[in-house]
Amino acid sequence: MKTAMGANAATHPEGPGWNPASQPVGVETVPASSSWTKAEPAPLMEAVVEKANMARAYRRVVTNKGAPGADGMTVDQLTDHLKQHWPTLRERLLAGEYHPSPIRAAKIPKPKGGTRQLGIPTVTDRLIQQALLQVLTPTFDPSFSESSYGYRPKRSAQQAVSAMKAHVSAGHRWVVDLDLEAFFDRVNHDLLMARVARRVHDKRVLRLIRRYLEAGMFQHGLTTPREQGTPQGGPLSPLLANILLDDVDKELERRGHRFCRYADDMQIYVRSQRAGERVMASLSEYLENSLRLMVNHAKSAVDRPWQRGYLGYTLTRHKLPRLTLTQASLQRLMQRVREILKRGRGHNIRRVTEALAPVLRGWASYFSLVDVKRPLEALDQWVRRRLRCVIWRQWKRPGTRRRKLLALGLDEPRAWKSAGNGRGPWWNAGASHMNQALPRKWFEQQGLISVLDTARGLSRSS
């Protein structure tokens, strides 16, 4: 599909090998009025294709990498492709004549089971969407709710979790946990575009956003048209989701509710079960009638906060609640560790710990807010036991095990007895002889990250 899409491609105006001083006529020197077809006079599209904005968008797309779209083009090929096609692409954007390519369908597993449908735009379309995002964010973001935390500058999931804890600590010890069914797949295009048009008046930008919403889904060699939804996978989708759901935020603020929203993950905090049930009924009606979104009543509930997770965290039921992990968060990490160790069988243990390091460090960073540290300590112990299990298997024969245990400091009788005990790897991994031979300090020397220590260090620094 590359040849067919050539006229619709672009590159970062300051990408590798691209010299702004030697731009061909039409890249930055041709005014909008001289475009090959008439462009509307509104300035927003000019801001999108402006050199500095495109350069910033290019850097972000290249840094994020990502899989190829329907045309098969990789991020590494973007610069050369844009050198050739940027002048034509820029003219089409300014003229309002650019049409996005179909998006490639992909499915990824959900943390709680099932799969999530992604739509992966071509690299060129990711660049344009990123450039649009950078221009539109200053227009929309300042008016968003203080209780909205997802995909916004200088906001994070951890801030949402801290707000959750504060609301419950203030006495709002019931939660309305709302689950929107297939939110990104059900967004109504007309309703969304009406909200975008409240602040965007450049018709070229409005047409381009709608074309992105309506871009077909490419799967199994066929392109299927789309009449609703804003598929996850493109840079613009999170902002569009926030624009639509900002109406919900404003409605909750008008009613005086305490709430947290991270993208489509929404919780409202109230003082009684009865109040929660009223909020659940009225808000479900508002979402379904005003925004044409469906509430998944099987997954939604009015419940105590400590019975519900939020963004991987949950609370204890103390009068002054403390943050802790959901069991699902712990299980997901443990499964990830199992996968890495399975791939690392037969490898040097230092290589295995190097593979584990970014996973454990990133997880510890996200969960550095937890007040209850015991699960993190238990997780560290479990990881070390899994590694001892790998090492025991690598030693294979009793003679090798005896020799290794002797080298690690065990006395002769104990090394003999332990090496030939006939027990399985998991039992031996937790036994005293392996704990003595391979203590925590030994694993630290091999580069193993401690989740507990990392989380504590980040918590103190913040």
Side-chain angles (χ1 to χ4, degrees), residues 165-184:
K165 179 183 177 182
H167 294 325
V168 178
S169 298
H172 296 74
R173 293 170 69 85
W174 286 87
V175 62
V176 180
D177 193 354
L178 267 172
D179 185 277
L180 295 178
E181 187 172 338
F183 166 72
F184 284 92

Side-chain angles (χ1 to χ4, degrees), residues 44 47-49 53-54 56-57 60-61 64 125-142 144 150-153 205 208-209 212 234-243:
L44 196 59
V48 172
V49 301
N53 186 58
M54 292 300 301
R56 191 155 61 99
R60 177 59 64 90
V61 169
N64 289 345
D125 283 323
R126 295 208 293 271
L127 176 75
I128 298 169
Q129 285 195 35
Q130 181 63 37
L132 276 169
L133 175 68
Q134 292 166 182
V135 170
L136 294 176
T137 295
T139 300
F140 286 96
D141 190 81
F144 286 158
Y151 307 108
R152 297 183 58 193
V205 173
L208 182 58
I209 293 173
Y212 274 120
L236 201 55
S237 290
L239 176 63
L240 296 178
N242 277 333
I243 290 171

